[in-house]
Amino acid sequence: MSWEHAGLPSSNKTNTSAGYRLSDYVQKPIEIYVFIDPLCPECWSLEPYLKKLAIEYGDYFTIRPIVSGHLNNLNKDIFDKPKKLKDIWEKTASRTGMSCDGDLWMENPISSPAIASLAIKAAELQGKKAGRIFLRKVQENLFLMKRNISDEDVLLTCAKEANLDLDEFKNDLYSSSAKKAFQGDLKLTQEMQVDYIPTIVFFNQVIEQHGIKISGLYPYDIYVRVLKQMLQKDPQPAEKPPLEEFLADFEVVGNKEVSVVYDWTIEKADKEMKKLQLKRTVEKIPAKFGAFWRYIKK
């Protein structure tokens, strides 16, 4: 594979996923590699844009999360500095509107970061969609609930929330298959010279051309522009689903995600979610920054 940079300036941000509702079974022209680390708050902050991209243009692409292990491998010393990690998380949360409770690093620090990455690959053995949903549950438990995602019991909770086969997940967690898949992701990260997370690489599987790589977090319009460039056409975005349908699909969402997807201000998103709270359609999840909501299944 070959690729080229998108010609965008690298961001100055400090280094620090989910079940998209469209079918994975239809061959789509674009494949998007999303290089992430489960402990990275900027990867978590990318979620609103990935959701909107999938809703508006999901007929044209599939998403392939790549667990880069970037924080694990390149910044091992940072895990010995919990105060620094707390500050990084909370600055990211303040800037992006996606809550990251940095108190985790003072109260319940992550002991073995690589286990969470292995768990994501184990979940993917039950299907790509299952893997994305599990990744999202890992992020929710980490950034919102302040849970140690290197703890096996927490990972089993995430697997249960993602509706995985728990026996299969337990067997796969430390299996050679999960380890091999993780090593494959690390190799791909190196081959594509990914040195910052999150990084997104767009490939057209139909037309022979270079891929385009975007490192860092950018406004939504940038991702749309690159997608259209790769498609070599200008498709119209699909209609957005009703808000309650969106919530039922994703189960846990933040005001930031609602505001990005529906082109609302944060204030309007919060107002609309509070209306649904009064109707007992959602319940509010305590968060240190912003507001998150859980859909109440009927």
Side-chain angles (χ1 to χ4, degrees), residues 29 88 107 150 211 246 248 259 263:
I88 289 172
E107 300 169 3
S150 63
F246 170 74
S259 71
D263 300 307

Side-chain angles (χ1 to χ4, degrees), residues 178-235:
K179 292 175 183 176
K180 184 177 179 180
F182 183 36
Q183 288 301 317
D185 279 11
L186 295 179
K187 182 179 180 183
L188 192 59
T189 301
Q190 186 176 27
E191 287 176 350
M192 291 194 179
Q193 301 173 13
V194 172
D195 55 9
Y196 188 92
I197 50 172
T199 286
I200 297 180
V201 184
F202 292 75
F203 288 105
N204 192 318
Q205 302 181 90
V206 178
I207 302 170
E208 187 69 28
Q209 62 176 307
H210 291 297
I212 296 180
K213 180 167 69 174
I214 304 175
S215 298
L217 199 59
Y218 287 90
Y220 177 69
D221 289 349
I222 296 295
Y223 303 113
V224 173
R225 191 175 79 193
V226 172
L227 178 64
K228 290 180 177 180
Q229 181 178 337
M230 294 301 296
L231 286 168
Q232 298 183 6
K233 62 180 180 179
D234 188 8

Side-chain angles (χ1 to χ4, degrees), residues 118-119 121-127 130 156 159 163-175 177-178:
L118 274 178
K121 305 317 292 183
E124 286 180 357
L125 295 175
Q126 297 188 35
L156 288 172
N163 295 315
L164 299 185
D165 181 312
L166 294 183
D167 290 334
E168 189 176 335
F169 177 75
K170 288 178 187 177
N171 291 333
D172 288 335
L173 184 53
Y174 299 105
S175 69
S177 297

Side-chain angles (χ1 to χ4, degrees), residues 88-148:
I88 289 172
W89 274 32
E90 300 201 343
K91 285 177 182 176
T92 303
S94 297
R95 186 181 75 245
T96 66
M98 290 290 282
S99 188
C100 313
D101 194 335
D103 289 339
L104 167 83
W105 295 103
M106 313 304 291
E107 300 169 3
N108 190 22
I110 308 301
S111 51
S112 303
I115 292 178
S117 298
L118 274 178
I120 293 164
K121 305 317 292 183
E124 286 180 357
L125 295 175
Q126 297 188 35
K128 292 180 180 179
K129 183 177 180 180
R132 289 198 299 270
I133 295 173
F134 177 78
L135 168 59
R136 172 69 185 206
K137 296 305 177 185
V138 166
Q139 291 172 315
E140 290 169 6
N141 276 270
L142 176 67
F143 295 115
L144 300 180
M145 312 302 179
K146 294 191 297 182
R147 292 175 181 156
N148 182 347

Side-chain angles (χ1 to χ4, degrees), residues 63-114:
I63 286 180
R64 180 180 170 187
I66 306 296
V67 183
S68 72
H70 195 284
L71 290 180
N72 299 344
N73 293 333
L74 301 184
N75 296 313
K76 293 178 181 178
D77 62 320
I78 201 169
F79 292 102
D80 296 326
K81 301 172 182 176
K83 181 62 168 63
K84 183 175 181 180
L85 279 165
K86 172 182 165 72
D87 291 344
I88 289 172
W89 274 32
E90 300 201 343
K91 285 177 182 176
T92 303
S94 297
R95 186 181 75 245
T96 66
M98 290 290 282
S99 188
C100 313
D101 194 335
D103 289 339
L104 167 83
W105 295 103
M106 313 304 291
E107 300 169 3
N108 190 22
I110 308 301
S111 51
S112 303

Side-chain angles (χ1 to χ4, degrees), residues 13 29 267:
K13 302 164 186 131
E267 292 73 22

